[in-house]
Amino acid sequence: MSFQAYLDAIETKTGRTPRELLDLAADRGFGPTSKAGDVVAWLADEHGIGRGHAMAFFSVLKNGPAISDKHVGSTGSHRDESTVLHLDGKANRPG
């Protein structure tokens, strides 16, 4: 599963874009210095998000939307289209 696919799955499950969830996280006091376990627990308790998906979200919370180019342009199941994740929702994705 690509990094973007994790975020898309979270959006499908919660009905909220990754950016909306980032805003909710900030409202609850979570940010780049938060502990992963605290964010994972919040996502599980309030949104029913599993650990793997929650860790993908935590990475965005901690590091922003930029990701490694390791899988960009690859043909594997982890391939991503870009080194920048789209946070404004599947319906608002360019192209």
Side-chain angles (χ1 to χ4, degrees), residues 6-83:
Y6 274 107
L7 297 181
D8 292 348
I10 291 170
E11 180 181 351
T12 297
K13 183 165 185 111
T14 66
R16 297 177 188 269
T17 68
R19 191 167 313 280
E20 290 170 336
L21 281 176
L22 287 170
D23 290 343
L24 284 175
D27 289 347
R28 284 161 179 74
F30 296 122
T33 61
S34 296
K35 294 185 179 185
D38 295 336
V39 175
V40 168
W42 165 65
L43 289 170
D45 293 345
E46 290 193 25
H47 302 284
I49 301 299
R51 180 168 177 75
H53 288 74
M55 288 303 295
F57 176 82
F58 177 73
S59 178
V60 173
L61 178 70
K62 183 176 175 99
N63 303 313
I67 60 171
S68 163
D69 64 355
K70 180 178 180 178
H71 297 291
V72 174
S74 71
T75 58
S77 62
H78 297 291
R79 70 184 171 278
D80 273 294
E81 300 294 320
S82 170
T83 58

